[in-house]
Amino acid sequence: MLKVLFLCTENACRSQMAEALVNHDLAGQVKAWSAGVRPSRVNPRAIRVMRELGIDIGGQRSKSVDDLTGEQFDLVITVCDRAHQECPIFPGETEIMHMGFSDPAGATGTEDGILAVFREVRDQMRQQLVPLLRRKAEGHP
């Protein structure tokens, strides 16, 4: 099974959504984790837009990349520019890849407008990450 870590700055939105989408859509093929270089808390709007898909991340917590010391990953995907710049070194044959997505937490305006931004980022991640990781998992021993 392909083991993937999604890394962002706070492990609050993008990496949390990516972890949940991949674990949901590619269960049995890919196992995903998420962490942040400066963890904070899971964003309530991320929880809300994931629930719309029937995926509950309400019990998730924001984790530091240091919490995963000793875990071996086949692939680390940074989903924000800051995490890409600060990405720690991973031992072994770990492939590092950057796929930047807009930070929905920076959205302003009405609540409906902000949630629309969260949904857009969620949907972009699903459209880009799931097919990529499905292909990688098929070629993984």
Side-chain angles (χ1 to χ4, degrees):
M1 182 173 308
L2 186 70
K3 294 171 67 175
V4 178
L5 171 64
F6 291 103
L7 189 63
C8 68
T9 303
E10 296 183 354
N11 191 219
C13 298
R14 292 166 284 186
S15 56
Q16 291 281 346
M17 291 191 294
E19 173 188 6
L21 287 166
V22 168
N23 284 335
H24 179 269
D25 291 359
L26 298 175
Q29 296 177 290
V30 178
K31 175 63 180 149
W33 288 260
S34 67
V37 292
R38 289 188 205 101
S40 62
R41 65 179 182 87
V42 180
N43 188 299
R45 291 178 176 124
I47 294 168
R48 182 169 171 185
V49 300
M50 293 304 293
R51 267 198 194 122
E52 293 171 357
L53 299 178
I55 302 171
D56 186 5
I57 64 171
Q60 293 283 91
R61 68 175 181 84
S62 182
K63 300 165 294 297
S64 169
V65 69
D66 296 334
D67 294 344
L68 300 172
T69 300
E71 190 70 51
Q72 296 290 319
F73 298 101
D74 300 300
L75 177 62
V76 174
I77 300 177
T78 55
V79 292
C80 76
D81 292 337
R82 179 174 285 161
H84 178 61
Q85 294 166 353
E86 297 179 23
C87 185
I89 303 295
F90 289 88
E93 300 291 319
T94 303
E95 177 184 358
I96 310 289
M97 178 184 291
H98 178 62
M99 295 182 73
F101 295 92
S102 299
D103 184 2
T108 59
T110 66
E111 184 66 13
D112 286 343
I114 294 169
L115 288 170
V117 172
F118 272 80
R119 288 183 193 105
E120 181 179 331
V121 172
R122 175 201 66 196
D123 295 346
Q124 286 173 355
M125 293 174 71
R126 190 176 225 177
Q127 291 166 1
Q128 294 177 36
L129 294 171
V130 170
L132 168 77
L133 293 174
R134 182 175 284 123
R135 287 190 304 273
K136 284 192 172 287
E138 289 168 358
H140 185 73

PDB file of all heavy atoms in Angstrom, residues 117-140:
ATOM      1  N   VAL A 117     -15.406  28.980  -1.387  1.00  0.00           N
ATOM      2  CA  VAL A 117     -13.960  28.883  -1.589  1.00  0.00           C
ATOM      3  C   VAL A 117     -13.439  27.560  -1.021  1.00  0.00           C
ATOM      4  O   VAL A 117     -12.626  26.869  -1.656  1.00  0.00           O
ATOM      5  CB  VAL A 117     -13.224  30.097  -0.978  1.00  0.00           C
ATOM      6  CG1 VAL A 117     -11.717  29.916  -1.017  1.00  0.00           C
ATOM      7  CG2 VAL A 117     -13.635  31.382  -1.693  1.00  0.00           C
ATOM      8  N   PHE A 118     -13.888  27.199   0.161  1.00  0.00           N
ATOM      9  CA  PHE A 118     -13.488  25.912   0.750  1.00  0.00           C
ATOM     10  C   PHE A 118     -13.894  24.757  -0.156  1.00  0.00           C
ATOM     11  O   PHE A 118     -13.124  23.826  -0.378  1.00  0.00           O
ATOM     12  CB  PHE A 118     -14.099  25.732   2.145  1.00  0.00           C
ATOM     13  CG  PHE A 118     -13.262  26.306   3.257  1.00  0.00           C
ATOM     14  CD1 PHE A 118     -13.280  27.670   3.540  1.00  0.00           C
ATOM     15  CD2 PHE A 118     -12.442  25.488   4.024  1.00  0.00           C
ATOM     16  CE1 PHE A 118     -12.516  28.198   4.562  1.00  0.00           C
ATOM     17  CE2 PHE A 118     -11.668  26.007   5.051  1.00  0.00           C
ATOM     18  CZ  PHE A 118     -11.692  27.366   5.319  1.00  0.00           C
ATOM     19  N   ARG A 119     -15.114  24.812  -0.695  1.00  0.00           N
ATOM     20  CA  ARG A 119     -15.585  23.742  -1.583  1.00  0.00           C
ATOM     21  C   ARG A 119     -14.742  23.675  -2.854  1.00  0.00           C
ATOM     22  O   ARG A 119     -14.418  22.588  -3.333  1.00  0.00           O
ATOM     23  CB  ARG A 119     -17.048  23.972  -1.954  1.00  0.00           C
ATOM     24  CG  ARG A 119     -17.997  23.721  -0.834  1.00  0.00           C
ATOM     25  CD  ARG A 119     -19.461  23.905  -1.295  1.00  0.00           C
ATOM     26  NE  ARG A 119     -20.305  23.961  -0.136  1.00  0.00           N
ATOM     27  CZ  ARG A 119     -20.851  25.078   0.353  1.00  0.00           C
ATOM     28  NH1 ARG A 119     -20.677  26.250  -0.245  1.00  0.00           N
ATOM     29  NH2 ARG A 119     -21.590  25.025   1.443  1.00  0.00           N
ATOM     30  N   GLU A 120     -14.401  24.837  -3.383  1.00  0.00           N
ATOM     31  CA  GLU A 120     -13.599  24.876  -4.614  1.00  0.00           C
ATOM     32  C   GLU A 120     -12.230  24.229  -4.393  1.00  0.00           C
ATOM     33  O   GLU A 120     -11.782  23.408  -5.199  1.00  0.00           O
ATOM     34  CB  GLU A 120     -13.434  26.330  -5.079  1.00  0.00           C
ATOM     35  CG  GLU A 120     -12.649  26.457  -6.364  1.00  0.00           C
ATOM     36  CD  GLU A 120     -12.529  27.902  -6.811  1.00  0.00           C
ATOM     37  OE1 GLU A 120     -13.418  28.711  -6.520  1.00  0.00           O
ATOM     38  OE2 GLU A 120     -11.506  28.212  -7.461  1.00  0.00           O
ATOM     39  N   VAL A 121     -11.579  24.566  -3.291  1.00  0.00           N
ATOM     40  CA  VAL A 121     -10.272  23.976  -2.983  1.00  0.00           C
ATOM     41  C   VAL A 121     -10.427  22.472  -2.743  1.00  0.00           C
ATOM     42  O   VAL A 121      -9.644  21.665  -3.260  1.00  0.00           O
ATOM     43  CB  VAL A 121      -9.605  24.681  -1.787  1.00  0.00           C
ATOM     44  CG1 VAL A 121      -8.349  23.944  -1.337  1.00  0.00           C
ATOM     45  CG2 VAL A 121      -9.273  26.128  -2.142  1.00  0.00           C
ATOM     46  N   ARG A 122     -11.428  22.087  -1.985  1.00  0.00           N
ATOM     47  CA  ARG A 122     -11.696  20.662  -1.732  1.00  0.00           C
ATOM     48  C   ARG A 122     -11.863  19.909  -3.051  1.00  0.00           C
ATOM     49  O   ARG A 122     -11.256  18.856  -3.270  1.00  0.00           O
ATOM     50  CB  ARG A 122     -12.970  20.546  -0.891  1.00  0.00           C
ATOM     51  CG  ARG A 122     -13.444  19.121  -0.656  1.00  0.00           C
ATOM     52  CD  ARG A 122     -14.918  19.066  -0.279  1.00  0.00           C
ATOM     53  NE  ARG A 122     -15.780  19.494  -1.368  1.00  0.00           N
ATOM     54  CZ  ARG A 122     -17.056  19.821  -1.221  1.00  0.00           C
ATOM     55  NH1 ARG A 122     -17.636  19.789  -0.041  1.00  0.00           N
ATOM     56  NH2 ARG A 122     -17.767  20.191  -2.264  1.00  0.00           N
ATOM     57  N   ASP A 123     -12.665  20.451  -3.946  1.00  0.00           N
ATOM     58  CA  ASP A 123     -12.947  19.780  -5.211  1.00  0.00           C
ATOM     59  C   ASP A 123     -11.719  19.744  -6.121  1.00  0.00           C
ATOM     60  O   ASP A 123     -11.472  18.742  -6.801  1.00  0.00           O
ATOM     61  CB  ASP A 123     -14.132  20.435  -5.906  1.00  0.00           C
ATOM     62  CG  ASP A 123     -15.434  20.272  -5.117  1.00  0.00           C
ATOM     63  OD1 ASP A 123     -15.487  19.443  -4.172  1.00  0.00           O
ATOM     64  OD2 ASP A 123     -16.401  21.000  -5.437  1.00  0.00           O
ATOM     65  N   GLN A 124     -10.925  20.815  -6.133  1.00  0.00           N
ATOM     66  CA  GLN A 124      -9.677  20.814  -6.912  1.00  0.00           C
ATOM     67  C   GLN A 124      -8.737  19.736  -6.403  1.00  0.00           C
ATOM     68  O   GLN A 124      -8.105  19.023  -7.197  1.00  0.00           O
ATOM     69  CB  GLN A 124      -8.978  22.175  -6.810  1.00  0.00           C
ATOM     70  CG  GLN A 124      -9.611  23.281  -7.584  1.00  0.00           C
ATOM     71  CD  GLN A 124      -8.946  24.628  -7.295  1.00  0.00           C
ATOM     72  OE1 GLN A 124      -8.062  24.739  -6.440  1.00  0.00           O
ATOM     73  NE2 GLN A 124      -9.382  25.647  -8.003  1.00  0.00           N
ATOM     74  N   MET A 125      -8.634  19.622  -5.096  1.00  0.00           N
ATOM     75  CA  MET A 125      -7.751  18.613  -4.518  1.00  0.00           C
ATOM     76  C   MET A 125      -8.210  17.212  -4.917  1.00  0.00           C
ATOM     77  O   MET A 125      -7.400  16.370  -5.306  1.00  0.00           O
ATOM     78  CB  MET A 125      -7.688  18.771  -2.995  1.00  0.00           C
ATOM     79  CG  MET A 125      -6.995  20.068  -2.600  1.00  0.00           C
ATOM     80  SD  MET A 125      -7.042  20.413  -0.847  1.00  0.00           S
ATOM     81  CE  MET A 125      -5.949  19.188  -0.240  1.00  0.00           C
ATOM     82  N   ARG A 126      -9.498  16.981  -4.831  1.00  0.00           N
ATOM     83  CA  ARG A 126     -10.012  15.654  -5.191  1.00  0.00           C
ATOM     84  C   ARG A 126      -9.743  15.347  -6.665  1.00  0.00           C
ATOM     85  O   ARG A 126      -9.319  14.245  -7.016  1.00  0.00           O
ATOM     86  CB  ARG A 126     -11.512  15.591  -4.910  1.00  0.00           C
ATOM     87  CG  ARG A 126     -12.088  14.196  -5.030  1.00  0.00           C
ATOM     88  CD  ARG A 126     -13.545  14.149  -4.649  1.00  0.00           C
ATOM     89  NE  ARG A 126     -13.815  13.015  -3.778  1.00  0.00           N
ATOM     90  CZ  ARG A 126     -14.991  12.769  -3.255  1.00  0.00           C
ATOM     91  NH1 ARG A 126     -16.017  13.580  -3.462  1.00  0.00           N
ATOM     92  NH2 ARG A 126     -15.168  11.694  -2.496  1.00  0.00           N
ATOM     93  N   GLN A 127      -9.960  16.328  -7.528  1.00  0.00           N
ATOM     94  CA  GLN A 127      -9.761  16.132  -8.968  1.00  0.00           C
ATOM     95  C   GLN A 127      -8.298  15.903  -9.332  1.00  0.00           C
ATOM     96  O   GLN A 127      -8.009  15.177 -10.274  1.00  0.00           O
ATOM     97  CB  GLN A 127     -10.304  17.342  -9.741  1.00  0.00           C
ATOM     98  CG  GLN A 127     -11.801  17.472  -9.699  1.00  0.00           C
ATOM     99  CD  GLN A 127     -12.274  18.834 -10.168  1.00  0.00           C
ATOM    100  OE1 GLN A 127     -11.494  19.702 -10.547  1.00  0.00           O
ATOM    101  NE2 GLN A 127     -13.585  19.031 -10.141  1.00  0.00           N
ATOM    102  N   GLN A 128      -7.384  16.504  -8.588  1.00  0.00           N
ATOM    103  CA  GLN A 128      -5.966  16.384  -8.926  1.00  0.00           C
ATOM    104  C   GLN A 128      -5.258  15.277  -8.158  1.00  0.00           C
ATOM    105  O   GLN A 128      -4.460  14.530  -8.731  1.00  0.00           O
ATOM    106  CB  GLN A 128      -5.264  17.716  -8.678  1.00  0.00           C
ATOM    107  CG  GLN A 128      -5.742  18.815  -9.617  1.00  0.00           C
ATOM    108  CD  GLN A 128      -5.089  20.147  -9.319  1.00  0.00           C
ATOM    109  OE1 GLN A 128      -3.932  20.208  -8.947  1.00  0.00           O
ATOM    110  NE2 GLN A 128      -5.843  21.217  -9.489  1.00  0.00           N
ATOM    111  N   LEU A 129      -5.518  15.159  -6.873  1.00  0.00           N
ATOM    112  CA  LEU A 129      -4.773  14.212  -6.041  1.00  0.00           C
ATOM    113  C   LEU A 129      -5.220  12.768  -6.216  1.00  0.00           C
ATOM    114  O   LEU A 129      -4.382  11.865  -6.279  1.00  0.00           O
ATOM    115  CB  LEU A 129      -4.890  14.607  -4.562  1.00  0.00           C
ATOM    116  CG  LEU A 129      -4.226  15.922  -4.164  1.00  0.00           C
ATOM    117  CD1 LEU A 129      -4.617  16.300  -2.738  1.00  0.00           C
ATOM    118  CD2 LEU A 129      -2.718  15.833  -4.321  1.00  0.00           C
ATOM    119  N   VAL A 130      -6.517  12.532  -6.270  1.00  0.00           N
ATOM    120  CA  VAL A 130      -7.002  11.156  -6.316  1.00  0.00           C
ATOM    121  C   VAL A 130      -6.529  10.429  -7.580  1.00  0.00           C
ATOM    122  O   VAL A 130      -5.972   9.332  -7.476  1.00  0.00           O
ATOM    123  CB  VAL A 130      -8.535  11.095  -6.121  1.00  0.00           C
ATOM    124  CG1 VAL A 130      -9.075   9.705  -6.400  1.00  0.00           C
ATOM    125  CG2 VAL A 130      -8.889  11.539  -4.698  1.00  0.00           C
ATOM    126  N   PRO A 131      -6.671  11.011  -8.776  1.00  0.00           N
ATOM    127  CA  PRO A 131      -6.174  10.298  -9.967  1.00  0.00           C
ATOM    128  C   PRO A 131      -4.654  10.088  -9.941  1.00  0.00           C
ATOM    129  O   PRO A 131      -4.163   9.021 -10.318  1.00  0.00           O
ATOM    130  CB  PRO A 131      -6.584  11.190 -11.138  1.00  0.00           C
ATOM    131  CG  PRO A 131      -7.672  12.051 -10.622  1.00  0.00           C
ATOM    132  CD  PRO A 131      -7.401  12.222  -9.150  1.00  0.00           C
ATOM    133  N   LEU A 132      -3.914  11.087  -9.484  1.00  0.00           N
ATOM    134  CA  LEU A 132      -2.457  10.974  -9.397  1.00  0.00           C
ATOM    135  C   LEU A 132      -2.066   9.817  -8.478  1.00  0.00           C
ATOM    136  O   LEU A 132      -1.236   8.968  -8.830  1.00  0.00           O
ATOM    137  CB  LEU A 132      -1.847  12.276  -8.876  1.00  0.00           C
ATOM    138  CG  LEU A 132      -0.371  12.182  -8.481  1.00  0.00           C
ATOM    139  CD1 LEU A 132       0.512  12.188  -9.713  1.00  0.00           C
ATOM    140  CD2 LEU A 132       0.002  13.310  -7.542  1.00  0.00           C
ATOM    141  N   LEU A 133      -2.662   9.768  -7.311  1.00  0.00           N
ATOM    142  CA  LEU A 133      -2.300   8.739  -6.344  1.00  0.00           C
ATOM    143  C   LEU A 133      -2.833   7.362  -6.745  1.00  0.00           C
ATOM    144  O   LEU A 133      -2.212   6.346  -6.427  1.00  0.00           O
ATOM    145  CB  LEU A 133      -2.765   9.133  -4.947  1.00  0.00           C
ATOM    146  CG  LEU A 133      -2.014  10.360  -4.397  1.00  0.00           C
ATOM    147  CD1 LEU A 133      -2.616  10.802  -3.082  1.00  0.00           C
ATOM    148  CD2 LEU A 133      -0.536  10.078  -4.262  1.00  0.00           C
ATOM    149  N   ARG A 134      -3.931   7.323  -7.470  1.00  0.00           N
ATOM    150  CA  ARG A 134      -4.430   6.038  -7.985  1.00  0.00           C
ATOM    151  C   ARG A 134      -3.396   5.452  -8.958  1.00  0.00           C
ATOM    152  O   ARG A 134      -3.065   4.268  -8.878  1.00  0.00           O
ATOM    153  CB  ARG A 134      -5.776   6.222  -8.677  1.00  0.00           C
ATOM    154  CG  ARG A 134      -6.357   4.902  -9.183  1.00  0.00           C
ATOM    155  CD  ARG A 134      -7.749   5.058  -9.769  1.00  0.00           C
ATOM    156  NE  ARG A 134      -8.706   5.212  -8.679  1.00  0.00           N
ATOM    157  CZ  ARG A 134      -9.526   6.253  -8.561  1.00  0.00           C
ATOM    158  NH1 ARG A 134      -9.515   7.228  -9.435  1.00  0.00           N
ATOM    159  NH2 ARG A 134     -10.377   6.326  -7.553  1.00  0.00           N
ATOM    160  N   ARG A 135      -2.869   6.291  -9.853  1.00  0.00           N
ATOM    161  CA  ARG A 135      -1.831   5.828 -10.801  1.00  0.00           C
ATOM    162  C   ARG A 135      -0.582   5.380 -10.080  1.00  0.00           C
ATOM    163  O   ARG A 135       0.001   4.338 -10.392  1.00  0.00           O
ATOM    164  CB  ARG A 135      -1.489   6.929 -11.806  1.00  0.00           C
ATOM    165  CG  ARG A 135      -2.569   7.175 -12.847  1.00  0.00           C
ATOM    166  CD  ARG A 135      -2.097   8.099 -13.949  1.00  0.00           C
ATOM    167  NE  ARG A 135      -1.613   9.381 -13.493  1.00  0.00           N
ATOM    168  CZ  ARG A 135      -2.359  10.447 -13.292  1.00  0.00           C
ATOM    169  NH1 ARG A 135      -3.659  10.395 -13.475  1.00  0.00           N
ATOM    170  NH2 ARG A 135      -1.824  11.588 -12.881  1.00  0.00           N
ATOM    171  N   LYS A 136      -0.147   6.151  -9.083  1.00  0.00           N
ATOM    172  CA  LYS A 136       1.052   5.795  -8.332  1.00  0.00           C
ATOM    173  C   LYS A 136       0.854   4.487  -7.562  1.00  0.00           C
ATOM    174  O   LYS A 136       1.742   3.669  -7.486  1.00  0.00           O
ATOM    175  CB  LYS A 136       1.465   6.919  -7.393  1.00  0.00           C
ATOM    176  CG  LYS A 136       2.133   8.089  -8.105  1.00  0.00           C
ATOM    177  CD  LYS A 136       2.779   9.013  -7.132  1.00  0.00           C
ATOM    178  CE  LYS A 136       3.612  10.065  -7.812  1.00  0.00           C
ATOM    179  NZ  LYS A 136       4.872   9.535  -8.361  1.00  0.00           N
ATOM    180  N   ALA A 137      -0.327   4.310  -6.998  1.00  0.00           N
ATOM    181  CA  ALA A 137      -0.606   3.089  -6.230  1.00  0.00           C
ATOM    182  C   ALA A 137      -0.604   1.855  -7.141  1.00  0.00           C
ATOM    183  O   ALA A 137      -0.149   0.779  -6.734  1.00  0.00           O
ATOM    184  CB  ALA A 137      -1.947   3.200  -5.509  1.00  0.00           C
ATOM    185  N   GLU A 138      -1.093   2.009  -8.364  1.00  0.00           N
ATOM    186  CA  GLU A 138      -1.117   0.881  -9.303  1.00  0.00           C
ATOM    187  C   GLU A 138       0.293   0.421  -9.653  1.00  0.00           C
ATOM    188  O   GLU A 138       0.504  -0.746  -9.901  1.00  0.00           O
ATOM    189  CB  GLU A 138      -1.903   1.257 -10.553  1.00  0.00           C
ATOM    190  CG  GLU A 138      -3.405   1.376 -10.294  1.00  0.00           C
ATOM    191  CD  GLU A 138      -4.170   2.010 -11.428  1.00  0.00           C
ATOM    192  OE1 GLU A 138      -3.560   2.427 -12.449  1.00  0.00           O
ATOM    193  OE2 GLU A 138      -5.413   2.098 -11.306  1.00  0.00           O
ATOM    194  N   GLY A 139       1.243   1.356  -9.650  1.00  0.00           N
ATOM    195  CA  GLY A 139       2.627   1.003  -9.963  1.00  0.00           C
ATOM    196  C   GLY A 139       3.480   0.698  -8.745  1.00  0.00           C
ATOM    197  O   GLY A 139       4.666   0.422  -8.854  1.00  0.00           O
ATOM    198  N   HIS A 140       2.854   0.752  -7.563  1.00  0.00           N
ATOM    199  CA  HIS A 140       3.596   0.547  -6.311  1.00  0.00           C
ATOM    200  C   HIS A 140       3.517  -0.925  -5.889  1.00  0.00           C
ATOM    201  O   HIS A 140       2.434  -1.502  -5.924  1.00  0.00           O
ATOM    202  CB  HIS A 140       2.996   1.425  -5.208  1.00  0.00           C
ATOM    203  CG  HIS A 140       3.751   1.393  -3.925  1.00  0.00           C
ATOM    204  ND1 HIS A 140       4.960   2.011  -3.762  1.00  0.00           N
ATOM    205  CD2 HIS A 140       3.473   0.788  -2.750  1.00  0.00           C
ATOM    206  CE1 HIS A 140       5.389   1.806  -2.530  1.00  0.00           C
ATOM    207  NE2 HIS A 140       4.509   1.061  -1.893  1.00  0.00           N
TER     208      HIS A 140
END
